[in-house]
Amino acid sequence: MNAAQWTFYLALGAAGIAFIIGGIRAARHSRAIRRPTPVELVIGFVVAFFDTLGIGSFAPTTAIYKLRRIVPDELIPGTLNVGLTPAALLESVLFVTAILVDPLLLVTVVLSAAAGAWLGAGIVARMPRRAIQVTMGVALMIAVSVFTAVNLGALPGGGTAMDLVGWKFALAVAINFVLGALMSAGIGLYAPCMITLALLGMHPLAAFPIMVSACALVQPVASLRFFQTGTFSWGSSLGLAFGSIPGVLIAFYVVKSLPLYALRWLVIVVIAYAAFAMLRSAARTDRA
């Protein structure tokens, strides 16, 4: 391994250790800890399973929480980041080992996204309920647009490159800083990161280790902020954490691929309804 790869694995290990320590400290000072329900464990398994296959997890999980009223709107961003961190760490190790991309690009993009997450999580933790509802409602509508465009073939399929140089390298780093900050508000990084890299000419497979590794650093960094403020649901987060691990392993080693076209249309319908419900809740909050 070269210096860039060592840097990545050290950063990933440090993020994982910091996440565990932060979670233990938060648990010691919290009275809201509870065991996850079977439903919450199943949600963790399902969203991580399809996340590993490339669907993404933030938008579907948000939709499920909103439709079933499992987590209050203002706690959803923190719950997503905290609960899905173990899955992100595991996915990162699996995909970085299986798919080789330029180590310098991988490390730089990932660290840039993590820096954005640290800044974004501090802002989100102080946002009022209505602001979070509006942000997530708009984010879900964007997710619907992206999924629809992907299914209709309106987005680029990507090129053949496994690395980026010059202005393309710099642009990818800058955009992922913004995407890292947005993840703290519950806006998933997968789709916009994949689209960005495709537009810059990278091979579609190259997006997987980059986007999962970005999440693997972004989510623990953001989670440290949410641990400090307590703005997440313990039960739902634990359900995501424990349910997601077998979901990732089965998807990666057993299933590996599925015909996702029809599933994306189903996800589009569910997320669209959740976006409408989120924005309607924001309007009610404003009137109240």
Side-chain angles (χ1 to χ4, degrees), residues 59 61-74 76 129-130 132-141 144 268-287:
T61 309
T62 299
I64 294 171
Y65 283 166
K66 186 62 179 175
L67 294 174
R68 294 185 58 87
R69 299 180 180 179
I70 295 175
V71 178
D73 294 344
E74 66 273 19
I76 290 178
R129 176 186 177 89
R130 180 177 179 275
I132 292 177
Q133 289 172 327
V134 171
T135 300
M136 298 199 71
V138 173
L140 290 173
M141 291 304 298
V144 166
I268 286 168
V269 173
V270 173
I271 294 176
Y273 180 81
F276 170 76
M278 189 72 73
L279 293 174
R280 182 179 58 185
S281 297
R284 289 175 176 174
T285 301
D286 187 40
R287 286 196 297 270

Side-chain angles (χ1 to χ4, degrees), residues 40-63:
E40 289 168 329
L41 290 168
V42 170
I43 291 172
F45 176 89
V46 171
V47 298
F49 177 88
F50 289 111
D51 185 67
T52 308
L53 298 177
I55 287 289
S57 57
F58 270 39
T61 309
T62 299

Side-chain angles (χ1 to χ4, degrees), residues 28-184:
R28 288 176 177 174
H29 296 90
S30 176
R31 297 180 179 179
I33 299 177
R34 64 170 176 82
R35 293 181 179 179
T37 65
V39 170
E40 289 168 329
L41 290 168
V42 170
I43 291 172
F45 176 89
V46 171
V47 298
F49 177 88
F50 289 111
D51 185 67
T52 308
L53 298 177
I55 287 289
S57 57
F58 270 39
T61 309
T62 299
I64 294 171
Y65 283 166
K66 186 62 179 175
L67 294 174
R68 294 185 58 87
R69 299 180 180 179
I70 295 175
V71 178
D73 294 344
E74 66 273 19
L75 300 184
I76 290 178
T79 302
L80 295 175
N81 280 279
V82 172
L84 292 170
T85 287
L89 291 169
L90 177 57
E91 286 180 55
S92 178
V93 172
L94 294 176
F95 278 109
V96 168
T97 304
I99 303 173
L100 298 179
V101 297
D102 176 31
L104 181 59
L105 174 65
L106 175 67
V107 170
T108 309
V109 166
V110 167
L111 292 179
S112 175
W118 180 256
L119 174 65
I123 296 173
V124 172
R126 297 190 296 269
M127 288 173 64
R129 176 186 177 89
R130 180 177 179 275
I132 292 177
Q133 289 172 327
V134 171
T135 300
M136 298 199 71
V138 173
L140 290 173
M141 291 304 298
I142 294 173
V144 166
S145 301
V146 170
F147 280 148
T148 301
V150 169
N151 260 20
L152 294 176
L155 291 176
T160 59
M162 300 300 285
D163 61 358
L164 296 173
V165 295
W167 67 269
K168 292 182 178 181
F169 183 103
L171 184 59
V173 172
I175 290 177
N176 275 274
F177 176 86
V178 177
L179 297 180
L182 293 176
M183 275 196 73
S184 301

